[in-house]
Amino acid sequence: MKKFKVRKSGVHGRGVFCTEKISREETVMEYLGEKVSIKEGDRRAEVQMKKASKGKVGAVFLFELNTRYYLDGNIPGNPAKYINHSCDPNCRFENDRGHIYVISQKSLKPEDELTVDYGFDAEIYEDHPCRCGSENCVGYIVQRRQWRKLKSLIEKAKVKAKAEA
Ligand SMILES: [Zn+2]
């Protein structure tokens, strides 16, 4: 049974919101998409990035399923693609034999926005500023495991900017 809805979010564009109580460790929904080869996925990502750089809406919803395939979630009927990133997420993605599920990692009540860690790499932090509004927000959409690396990258950039000034 569906326990969420998609609507405008204060975080970013649209978001997914809880409509009924969700307990911890519940499977909230499946992240649906089209299975494509890594080569095809990279081609699609490039097309979307070009669109975005021209000021149009370009979005990449590619999940690496394994070394051979991506799941491209940019299809109609996949509300999970609207789940926003947070530095303090209440859900996570789990890959179960090629199916991606959204699992709650906290108990949720109606009106709570569902959030996940997008798992982006620290190396490309500047492309993805974060406005999640959580107390521990690091300012960029970067996976938690790389926060220490992110901080040192930001420090390095600051030192460089000072040297150039
Ligand atoms: Zn944040």
Side-chain angles (χ1 to χ4, degrees), residues 136-149:
N136 61 345
C137 181
V138 285
Y140 296 96
I141 299 178
V142 168
Q143 56 179 291
R144 195 176 196 112
R145 269 182 300 178
Q146 295 188 6
W147 280 8
R148 198 181 282 185
K149 186 176 170 190

Side-chain angles (χ1 to χ4, degrees), residues 153-165:
L153 286 170
I154 293 172
E155 267 319 299
K156 267 186 209 156
K158 265 191 206 158
V159 171
K160 202 176 159 224
K162 249 189 200 165
E164 282 167 0

Side-chain angles (χ1 to χ4, degrees), residues 4-161:
F4 58 86
K5 62 169 188 280
V6 175
R7 64 168 169 82
K8 267 184 96 167
S9 163
V11 177
H12 179 82
R14 272 179 275 193
V16 181
F17 293 81
C18 187
T19 53
E20 253 172 82
K21 251 185 82 180
I22 294 175
S23 351
R24 250 184 101 216
E25 299 303 313
E26 232 183 85
T27 303
V28 186
M29 68 188 97
E30 182 174 353
Y31 189 100
L32 298 166
E34 184 191 349
K35 200 169 156 185
V36 297
S37 68
I38 295 289
K39 197 177 160 195
E40 171 60 13
D42 288 342
R43 192 194 64 82
R44 289 183 185 187
E46 212 170 291
V47 170
Q48 292 295 323
M49 300 296 248
K50 269 191 194 142
K51 257 197 206 171
S53 68
K54 284 179 192 149
K56 285 185 205 155
V57 180
V60 182
F61 299 99
L62 292 164
F63 253 102
E64 219 175 303
L65 285 176
N66 49 47
T67 51
R68 292 172 61 200
Y69 293 104
Y70 282 121
L71 192 66
D72 185 356
N74 198 11
I75 57 161
N78 175 32
K81 75 177 173 191
Y82 296 116
I83 299 178
N84 283 306
H85 168 92
S86 171
C87 296
D88 185 19
N90 51 31
C91 293
R92 67 174 183 275
F93 290 126
E94 236 176 64
N95 184 341
D96 184 5
R97 283 162 293 178
H99 289 268
I100 308 285
Y101 295 98
V102 177
I103 314 283
S104 54
Q105 46 189 19
K106 291 177 185 171
S107 57
L108 302 168
K109 54 185 193 312
E111 290 308 302
D112 282 349
E113 178 168 2
L114 273 55
T115 53
V116 291
D117 181 342
Y118 280 4
F120 289 174
D121 203 84
E123 297 287 347
I124 49 166
Y125 76 92
E126 283 169 304
D127 297 340
H128 307 110
C130 185
R131 283 176 281 273
C132 72
S134 72
E135 259 173 57
N136 61 345
C137 181
V138 285
Y140 296 96
I141 299 178
V142 168
Q143 56 179 291
R144 195 176 196 112
R145 269 182 300 178
Q146 295 188 6
W147 280 8
R148 198 181 282 185
K149 186 176 170 190
L150 170 69
K151 277 171 192 154
S152 81
L153 286 170
I154 293 172
E155 267 319 299
K156 267 186 209 156
K158 265 191 206 158
V159 171
K160 202 176 159 224

